[in-house]
Each structure stands twice: as structure tokens, then as C-alpha cells.
Amino acid sequence: MNSFQQNNFTGLKKYAILICFILVISISSFYYISPGHRGVLVTLGKVSPHSYVNGVGLKWPFISNMVEMDIRTKKMSAKTASYTLDVQTAEMDYVFTYDLNPANVNILYETVGEEYEAKKIMPILNDVLKEVIGKWQAQDLVSNRDKARIDIVSGLNDRLDNRFFQNMTFQFINIDYSNNFEAAIENKVIAEQKAQEAVNNTKRIKEEAEQKLITAKAEAEAMEIKTKALANNKGLTEYEAVLKW
């Protein structure tokens, strides 16, 4: 290879490197945010003062990074245990859903980070569950689970920062107690049913006796009236005799 060819090769190499460098800069100057997400732009460690909607846009190459925050409805299925007012262990399966406030995901990222569920939501959710479940007797909790659910949602709305979290829902899937306690509840229910049945039987017998007494009294009064009528009216007595004959 002569000197001319070497110079041309060197020139082409430099040109190729320049093109690659321009391409890299061009590519790194664009960002893409997926549907159902909001973007948080971080430039040299500084978080942008607002969030970015999904789509394509420009950013500073190399020194800026676009972080995607999922704003679709989150669903958390979990299991936990808590004490009731009468110190029974309630094991609960539940589902908790919530949305992120799209306008403030940049503040959430800056102040909490992407692990906001572990750092913010779960500690408060567990505290609210313990607080609400601790107000109920174990037996009453099962039949009043919807009231407890409403109290839990209310507590979460009060304690979770509404700048970040919204549209919260909570639903019990199952509430379990120990086998001994469930057997005790079942025996208590059976005893209450039997006691109520005995009360109903007593009431029925009393009503039947009162009805018989009323009937007997009515019959006696009718007989007395009839006897007096026969005694005072001889013709009526003879008429009765003819009827019997």
C-alpha cells in the first residue's frame, strides 16, 4: 500500500469514527417514554421540576437520563397477621390497589426513589391494618369485614401522601383464625341456635296454652249464657229437646 492509499484509508477511518460519534450523540440525545408511564429527567444528578408524558423527545446527551415511572394501576396481593381486640390472631389475605399521581412522580422519585412501595406504602399499610383489626372482636370481624375495609381505606387516605398516591382500594380475600378458636365459635353458634330454638318452643307452647284458655273461657261463657236462656224460657227448652230427638 503506497502513501496515497494509506492517507485515504486513514481519512476514511477518521470519517467513520466521526460518523459513529455523531450517531452516538444523536441517539443519546433522544428519549422514549412507554405508554402508561411518566418520565423523570435526571441531569447531572438533578431531578427535573416536572414529569414528562409518554412519547419521544430530546435531552442532553450523556449527562441526562430519563427514568420511566409506571403510572398504571398497581395491585398488591399479600398476606399478614394481626391481633384482634380479644387477642386472637387473624391471618388475612388481601388485595390493595392504588395509582400514582402522574403530575408528581418526579417529586416521588427525588424524595423516595423507585422503591416507594417498600419504603412508604407497606409500613403505613401494616400499621393501619393493626390499628383497625385491633378494634374488633374476632367473631365480629368476620361479619363486619366491609366496615373494617372502609376504615382501612380511610386510614390509608389519611396517612399516605395524596400528592403521590390516589384511587386506593382495599379488599379482604380471606380471614382465618386458629382451629381451636374456629371450633369454639362454631360451638357457640350452635349453642346460641339451640337456646333460641328453646325460646321459640317455650313461646309457642305458651301461645298455644293461652289460645286454649281463651277458647275454653269462650265456650264456658257461651254455655252459661245458653243455660240461663233455657232456664228463663220454657219454650226454648222444649225446642232444644225436639232438636235432640
Side-chain angles (χ1 to χ4, degrees):
M1 181 181 296
N2 56 40
S3 59
F4 178 75
Q5 290 176 327
Q6 287 180 343
N7 291 334
N8 284 341
F9 178 76
T10 303
L12 289 173
K13 186 176 180 181
K14 291 179 179 178
Y15 184 69
I17 293 173
L18 179 61
I19 292 176
C20 290
F21 181 73
I22 293 173
L23 286 175
V24 170
I25 291 178
S26 298
I27 292 173
S28 64
S29 298
F30 289 91
Y31 67 81
Y32 172 73
I33 302 172
S34 307
H37 294 70
R38 280 293 183 94
V40 178
L41 184 63
V42 182
T43 303
L44 296 175
K46 185 178 180 180
V47 177
S48 60
H50 62 273
S51 63
Y52 291 75
V53 299
N54 61 289
V56 179
L58 292 171
K59 65 180 182 65
W60 288 107
F62 305 120
I63 63 173
S64 293
N65 178 43
M66 184 64 75
V67 179
E68 285 191 312
M69 299 286 283
D70 192 344
I71 59 172
R72 294 170 295 186
T73 298
K74 305 288 195 305
K75 180 179 179 181
M76 297 170 53
S77 299
K79 185 173 184 178
T80 189
S82 185
Y83 287 112
T84 59
L85 184 62
D86 49 348
V87 200
Q88 296 296 327
T89 301
E91 294 186 353
M92 299 163 288
D93 293 296
Y94 65 85
V95 172
F96 172 62
T97 66
Y98 68 95
D99 295 333
L100 291 182
N101 184 348
N104 293 326
V105 293
N106 56 309
I107 303 175
L108 178 63
Y109 179 81
E110 183 175 23
T111 57
V112 182
E114 295 182 85
E115 298 179 355
Y116 51 84
E117 282 191 355
K119 294 179 179 179
K120 285 291 184 181
I121 294 179
M122 288 307 300
I124 292 177
L125 177 56
N126 288 331
D127 285 346
V128 171
L129 279 172
K130 291 178 181 178
E131 181 180 329
V132 173
I133 299 304
K135 295 178 180 179
W136 290 93
Q137 298 280 347
Q139 185 175 355
D140 296 334
L141 176 61
V142 176
S143 57
N144 291 278
R145 59 198 299 169
D146 194 56
K147 292 181 180 179
R149 178 191 64 79
I150 293 172
D151 289 343
I152 290 169
V153 173
S154 177
L156 290 171
N157 280 318
D158 289 341
R159 297 178 61 179
L160 281 173
D161 196 331
N162 57 17
R163 292 180 303 164
F164 309 137
F165 310 109
Q166 57 188 16
N167 303 327
M168 288 175 279
T169 68
F170 182 91
Q171 189 67 47
F172 287 110
I173 303 302
N174 192 36
I175 301 176
D176 280 332
Y177 299 106
S178 67
N179 293 334
N180 291 337
F181 183 74
E182 290 183 350
I185 291 179
E186 183 178 355
N187 292 334
K188 182 179 178 180
V189 171
I190 293 173
E192 289 175 349
Q193 291 175 343
K194 289 182 177 180
Q196 186 61 46
E197 184 178 349
V199 170
N200 293 338
N201 288 336
T202 301
K203 185 178 180 180
R204 178 179 55 80
I205 293 171
K206 182 179 179 181
E207 289 176 350
E208 290 177 353
E210 289 177 349
Q211 188 61 43
K212 289 179 179 179
L213 180 62
I214 292 171
T215 302
K217 185 177 180 181
E219 290 176 352
E221 290 177 351
M223 183 62 69
E224 182 180 359
I225 293 171
K226 185 176 181 180
T227 300
K228 289 181 179 179
L230 291 174
N232 295 329
N233 193 329
K234 185 176 181 181
L236 184 58
T237 304
E238 293 175 353
Y239 174 72
E240 288 287 333
V242 171
L243 287 178
K244 289 181 181 180
W245 182 77

